[in-house]
């Protein structure tokens, strides 16, 4: 008797902006530095033109359209035109290897057009040769005449501005799309093995978009001016473009250039209120701010979320002094933001040091997530800041599987819970600290030793350049820690196991002391520059067993 | 291959509060004025006890449990225990007639227990006699011994505190409830005909709860201290109890007494930050504040939402001066909040008068709603502040039918769109003004005449005490307006049609001038005190036709 449930489609967001905020601005930086400035109404019309052009080129519901592009207004238009017409947008991560990209395009079944930034054409040409189902290539560029494009082996090739200029600016977006229709396909960074794909439905993204307007998340509202720094080609641009459209917040796309001068100038000129990114970018900005080369007024910024790595305390304090609040977040492509390190109101009377501890954590879990930290047997840890376990989460937008990867899916998603692979502690207020990766933690006699903490303690030794801790097989304790240490040049051949053990004995619990210390000139690293612990574990697997 | 979608259940909200905010407070005022103060952890344990007690008394999934109660912590406990265990909570509106209540209990199939506030026992006894399927009555009271209850014909009768004190404080809430499981049943006020019932699923309320944390709605967050003024027995307490649990905001239940002294004292003592209600309550509070009888510090209040009627400008200005911001909202049980009259940031430079116009409206539509205003032929009106049509809305928590009322449903819900029955204008910024009810608007020659505006203009005449405008049949124009006017005592028998027409001619368009003015000593009113236009239309239906 009841009418079917309302279907949560991204069209809802787009229509609200069109109706309520037709005159609000979108700003985008072209490849040549030109500033494009148009309204949400202009954008809506271009989105309609794009949808018509796609339809003319044969794009149908269920097709997978690719993008290989920077953070520009054109990419932003694709973010809505493609899903709202019922197709799926696969945002291809330009930072991955050609091999991985070919793999992803095949796995995600990109069977339609790929939209490619003009300067990425040479990058894509070899990929295109290996990708069979792509029907054509559309070049994202300010150019309007296809004759102005450089010679390319991509074929057939179209020009974005040319295509849409010929299309009608009216389009009827379908009203019968199920909310579970795939809207975005995005992949993990793939530091180990192939990148893993995930399908986000309209429902998933609708709900994340709404959550990001929540006062407990970003609190995005129409007063905001958002600088879209997180790449639109990865992790759905941290959903800033979606939440902006739901609320009518002004958006600024920085284009390809995300150098500190460009970022700071944009913040000043456009009065940016909110942004997010990995800390590196903001550390570079800080360096420039402190250099005094040029003055930038960044006081409009009310909030910057940083994730992926810790922002050093000193940098956060320096930004504090400029009135810019940085907040650590914790999350994953699989679950979006899980937690944020806001200071809880009841903690405002803590000492500065205690407050800092909270801000240095990754915060407490955000509304709508279910969050647990579990021991290996599935029981929950104590929230005492000491007990450790794996962080797991589930919720209305947490993924529940990887695309066509049943084994990886079974490993990461259990009963709908995303298993983060992070070993964490949680204090009595819910503040989460990541202490290790599940795969790297050393399990000795049923207890956990954090490889990261052990390395950190060892690296404080003045003679140590680098130290890597791994667990290796042990007959009695299952695993015991060993350290692989690179001494500074002048201490090579001089530093000894006993020095390290003496040094560590005042810094870590006695049972953490490594059973072996191996000195080496270099420690192998992975493609992204981290210690290759997998290789080390293989190499030294039996080092303690052999000893006996 | 994909795991089924995460099911959005209210249990999620409750678990977050238990985990993150176990020590935060809930405050409740007992019938005798005693202040109860406990933590969310205490509350969680009592909710578990309640669930166990319900189970012991035979409550199963799908059962409908009734409440007939004030805004107390016990009612708040029922708000979660019942839906989270898979049963449905029917919050019976204590303001309706006995007949209506019997009707609702039968229609909603209340087949389980009804929880009744102690002072409402005499009110419920005659209702109970006529309601067949109720299995028992649980009395909400601070009393712990059933022997202390007054004599009653209700049978079997239990005492809330007695029941739960015997139950375990651990309960496993089901993990396999579908998000579309009915959670709440609530009815309209029923000013015309029988009240109309609506079923809100877990999904509906989960999403409203999330929306109410959005910066564009109430922006509820953990810093808030919420005064639950909107009755928990109607319209799901405006969802404040739900949003509070999602965010860990402190909650204050004022109990039965919502007199100005009690409200103002609570605001001062508990440092209330947010509340909502109909304007009358706040006007009474203002009167007391201005009387100077006692000083109250209400500066902690950051936001008060008022709906159901307009808050007079002067009162809003006076509250402004105390630093308390009042905002008009527009909505309905069927759709929750549709719009809110915040000042859009781009309008901050308007003159005070122009700003006032915006604040006096019911605002612009809120995120996640789809909103349209349509002419009778379904085309959308122009947003020019003049064109008129019916406001319609749909969205993730808009109802799509009434309970067992196919005809009423077909009238009010079309293709999932809730038809408000309100004739409104919308200005270029989206601000909505309600000008009439669809049923009361006068359709003359294809154009609308607002009965409310016409009455308003007429009532400005110094000799007029009351005026009511209705449309009656007309051969050429389909309908033409007539006015029914009660003059002030001393003008009776003296005021004439010509006086009214002369007076109106400078105030309304010429074609709005009534074809007839009927003088009478009293105008009939409905049960809730509004002009009974239906009766008047029947009585005067042919007055213009007869004339000819």
């Amino acid at each position: 008797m009841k009418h079917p449930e309302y279907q949560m489609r991204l069209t809802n967001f787009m229509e609200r902006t069109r109706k309520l905020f037709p005159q609000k601005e979108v700003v985008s930086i072209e490849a040549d530095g030109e500033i494009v400035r148009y309204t949400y109404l202009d954008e809506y019309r271009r989105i309609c033109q794009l949808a018509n052009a796609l339809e003319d080129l044969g794009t149908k519901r269920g097709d997978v359209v690719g993008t290989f592009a920077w953070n520009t207004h054109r990419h932003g238009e694709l973010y809505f035109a493609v899903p709202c017409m019922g197709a799926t947008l696969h945002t291809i991560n330009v930072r991955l290897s050609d091999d991985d990209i070919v793999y992803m395009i095949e796995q995600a079944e990109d069977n339609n057009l790929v939209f490619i930034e003009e300067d990425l054409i040479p990058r894509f040409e070899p990929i295109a040769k290996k990708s069979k189902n792509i029907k054509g290539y559309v070049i994202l560029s300010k150019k309007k005449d296809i004759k102005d494009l450089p010679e390319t082996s991509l074929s057939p090739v179209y020009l974005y501005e040319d295509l849409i200029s010929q299309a009608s600016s009216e389009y009827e977006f379908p009203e019968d799309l199920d909310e579970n229709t795939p809207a975005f396909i995005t992949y993990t960074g793939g530091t180990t093995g192939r990148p893993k794909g995930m399908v986000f439905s309209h429902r998933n993204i609708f709900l994340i978009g709404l959550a990001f307007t929540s006062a407990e998340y970003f609190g995005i509202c129409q007063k905001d001016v958002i600088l879209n720094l997180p790449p639109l080609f990865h992790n759905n641009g941290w959903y800033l473009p979606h939440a902006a459209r739901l609320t009518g917040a002004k958006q600024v796309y920085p284009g390809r250039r995300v150098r500190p001068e460009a970022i700071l100038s944009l913040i000043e000129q456009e009065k940016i209120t909110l942004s997010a990114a990995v800390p590196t970018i903001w550390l570079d900005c800080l360096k420039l701010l402190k250099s005094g080369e040029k003055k930038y007024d960044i006081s409009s910024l009310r909030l910057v979320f940083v994730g992926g790595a810790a922002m050093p305390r000193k940098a956060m304090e320096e930004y504090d002094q400029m009135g810019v609040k940085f907040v650590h977040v914790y999350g994953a492509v699989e679950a979006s933001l899980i937690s944020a390190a806001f200071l809880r109101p009841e903690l405002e009377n803590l000492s500065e040091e205690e407050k800092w501890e909270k801000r240095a954590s990754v915060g407490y879990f955000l509304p709508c997530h279910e969050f647990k930290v579990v021991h290996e047997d599935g029981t929950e840890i104590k929230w005492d800041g000491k007990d450790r376990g794996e962080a797991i989460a589930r919720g209305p937008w947490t993924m529940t599987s990887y695309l066509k990867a049943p084994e990886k899916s079974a490993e990461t998603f259990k009963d709908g819970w995303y298993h983060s692979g992070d070993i964490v502690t949680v204090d009595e207020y819910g503040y989460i600290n990541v202490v290790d990766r599940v795969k790297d933690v050393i399990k000795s006699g049923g207890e956990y030793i954090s490889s990261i903490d052990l390395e950190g303690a060892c690296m404080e030794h003045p003679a140590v350049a680098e130290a890597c801790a791994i667990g290796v097989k042990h007959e009695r304790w299952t695993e015991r820690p060993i350290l692989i240490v690179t001494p500074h040049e002048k201490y090579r051949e001089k530093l000894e196991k006993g020095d390290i053990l003496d040094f560590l004995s005042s810094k870590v619990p006695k049972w953490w002391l490594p059973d072996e210390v191996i000195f080496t000139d270099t420690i192998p690293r992975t493609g992204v520059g981290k210690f290759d612990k997998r290789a080390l574990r293989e190499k030294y697997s039996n080092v303690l067993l052999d000893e006996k």
Side-chain angles (χ1 to χ4, degrees), chain A:
Chain A
M1 196 174 82
K2 223 185 158 192
H3 196 276
E5 279 305 315
Y6 177 82
Q7 297 299 298
M8 297 182 276
R9 289 182 290 265
L10 292 175
T11 324
N12 176 309
F13 291 15
M14 190 169 65
E15 289 293 338
R16 185 167 192 272
T17 307
R18 176 178 74 85
K19 284 196 154 170
L20 276 183
F21 308 103
Q23 299 311 323
K24 287 200 76 175
E25 263 187 347
V26 177
V27 178
S28 176
I29 312 298
E30 294 281 15
D32 62 3
E34 190 202 338
I35 299 181
V36 175
R37 207 175 277 279
Y38 67 12
T39 67
Y40 272 122
L41 183 60
D42 297 330
E43 187 204 50
Y44 182 81
R45 290 187 180 132
R46 284 169 56 92
I47 288 173
C48 288
Q49 288 178 308
L50 175 55
N52 280 313
L54 279 163
E55 214 168 78
D56 290 347
L57 289 171
T59 306
K60 297 180 309 296
R61 287 195 193 189
D63 282 350
V64 179
V65 173
T67 58
F68 199 68
W70 308 117
N71 286 18
T72 70
H73 62 299
R74 293 185 192 90
H75 206 169
E77 289 158 6
L78 283 154
Y79 255 50
F80 278 78
V82 173
C84 291
M85 62 189 293
T88 308
L89 194 76
H90 174 198
T91 53
I92 303 166
N93 187 338
V94 305
R95 301 282 182 222
L96 297 183
S97 71
D98 287 10
D99 263 12
D100 276 345
I101 293 171
V102 171
Y103 166 83
M104 294 189 298
I105 287 174
E106 193 180 317
Q107 203 207 31
E109 299 183 29
D110 291 28
N111 61 351
N112 199 262
L113 302 165
V114 179
F115 287 74
I116 301 166
E117 209 76 51
E118 186 181 354
D119 64 347
L120 293 172
I121 295 174
R123 194 52 225 290
F124 206 81
E125 282 170 339
I127 295 164
K129 280 191 186 125
K130 293 183 196 154
S131 304
K132 289 180 193 115
N133 297 318
I134 299 173
K135 288 210 183 111
Y137 306 89
V138 185
I139 306 307
L140 299 166
S141 162
K142 66 183 278 190
K143 290 176 185 162
K144 293 189 165 60
D145 189 337
I146 198 151
K147 281 176 284 182
D148 297 335
L149 278 185
E151 191 83 4
T152 173
S153 65
L154 297 175
S155 173
V157 70
Y158 309 94
L159 186 59
Y160 188 87
E161 294 295 335
D162 179 37
L163 269 188
I164 71 166
S165 70
Q166 298 171 36
S168 158
S169 62
E170 282 179 22
Y171 187 86
E172 292 274 331
F173 289 96
E175 293 248 320
D176 59 344
L177 281 185
D178 187 277
E179 65 187 22
N180 293 312
T181 305
F184 283 75
I185 295 179
T186 188
Y187 278 77
T188 60
T191 48
T192 54
R194 288 291 188 202
K196 297 181 286 282
M198 279 158 277
V199 180
F200 287 79
S201 65
H202 281 257
R203 168 183 162 125
N204 294 144
I205 297 190
F206 186 105
L207 292 174
I208 301 179
L210 173 58
F212 277 22
T213 75
S214 167
E216 303 273 338
Y217 282 79
F218 286 107
I220 291 172
C221 61
Q222 57 178 299
K223 288 182 194 171
D224 277 317
V225 182
I226 297 173
L227 180 59
N228 284 312
L229 275 185
L232 267 65
F233 59 70
H234 181 57
N235 202 0
N236 305 322
W238 289 28
Y239 307 99
L240 297 178
H242 305 100
R245 283 235 186 37
L246 178 56
T247 57
K250 173 175 164 177
Q251 282 185 89
V252 180
Y253 295 100
R256 175 177 188 164
R257 287 186 185 76
V258 284
R259 285 198 297 262
E261 318 84 77
I263 291 174
L264 294 172
S265 297
L266 277 177
I267 294 171
E268 177 172 298
Q269 281 163 36
E270 305 298 331
K271 300 203 172 18
I272 302 293
T273 62
L274 187 139
S275 197
V278 289
T280 332
I281 290 182
W282 296 103
L283 294 175
D284 290 347
C285 287
L286 186 62
K287 211 164 141 189
L288 181 58
L289 283 166
K290 285 165 68 183
S291 76
E293 270 176 41
K294 200 184 149 195
K295 280 209 183 308
Y296 298 93
D297 177 4
I298 62 163
S299 60
S300 57
L301 261 179
R302 68 170 175 89
L303 194 55
V304 181
F305 279 72
V306 283
M311 181 93 171
R313 171 174 179 172
K314 195 155 173 293
M316 281 172 89
E317 285 172 339
E318 284 169 337
Y319 274 117
D320 277 352
Q321 280 160 18
M322 300 177 217
V324 179
K325 193 170 145 200
F326 274 72
V327 174
H328 279 139
V329 296
Y330 171 60
V333 184
E334 290 86 340
S336 90
L337 296 193
I338 295 173
S339 66
F342 292 105
L343 190 68
R344 291 177 53 152
E346 62 268 51
L347 302 182
E348 267 158 25
N349 295 326
L350 291 185
S351 71
E352 283 309 307
E353 279 307 303
E354 288 167 316
K355 277 188 202 170
W356 180 255
E357 261 178 38
K358 309 300 178 196
R359 280 189 76 187
S361 78
V362 294
Y364 50 87
F365 74 102
L366 290 162
C368 297
H369 279 288
E370 288 186 49
F371 177 79
K372 284 201 274 194
V373 181
V374 290
H375 297 125
E376 270 181 281
D377 63 4
T379 57
E380 287 193 60
I381 66 160
K382 270 189 224 128
W383 283 21
D384 60 4
K386 289 174 192 154
D387 201 6
R388 289 160 183 224
E390 184 178 10
I392 68 175
R394 66 175 182 181
W397 48 80
T398 307
M399 292 292 97
T400 50
S401 65
Y402 291 122
L403 185 64
K404 298 179 192 165
E407 274 177 41
K408 285 275 174 201
S409 293
E411 213 173 86
T412 305
F413 305 99
K414 293 161 198 160
D415 299 325
W417 288 88
Y418 161 63
H419 283 60
S420 67
D422 291 320
I423 298 291
V424 308
T425 61
V426 184
D427 75 10
E428 59 174 315
Y429 293 102
Y431 286 90
I432 303 161
N433 274 289
V434 179
V435 295
D436 214 338
R437 294 284 303 160
V438 168
K439 287 176 181 167
D440 296 336
V441 78
I442 300 154
K443 287 156 204 147
S444 175
E447 299 277 350
Y448 287 160
I449 297 171
S450 162
S451 66
I452 294 173
D453 288 356
L454 192 54
E455 288 159 5
C458 182
M459 282 200 262
E460 287 176 32
H461 191 294
V464 170
E466 285 183 342
C468 175
I470 57 169
V472 299
K473 285 185 217 159
H474 189 280
E475 226 161 60
R476 180 161 176 205
W477 303 110
T478 316
E479 263 186 22
R480 285 294 299 154
I482 67 166
L483 272 169
I484 295 109
V485 172
T486 306
H488 283 298
E489 196 75 36
K490 62 176 176 176
Y491 295 105
R492 296 216 174 136
E493 315 289 330
K494 286 173 191 153
L495 198 62
E496 288 180 1
K497 178 177 174 181
D499 301 328
I500 300 292
L501 295 185
D502 283 351
F503 182 77
L504 286 176
S505 59
S506 69
K507 299 193 173 283
V508 299
K510 202 174 162 208
W511 61 278
W512 281 36
L513 289 178
D515 283 25
E516 192 53 81
V517 179
I518 294 162
F519 294 96
T520 169
D521 287 356
T522 52
I523 300 176
R525 287 179 182 270
T526 66
V528 294
K530 292 182 180 174
F531 291 141
D532 191 345
K533 293 193 177 181
R534 200 156 54 161
L536 288 167
R537 273 193 295 265
E538 270 172 33
K539 184 169 177 189
Y540 295 112
S541 171
N542 296 318
V543 71
L544 296 183
L545 301 179
D546 294 346
E547 260 186 353
K548 282 190 81 176

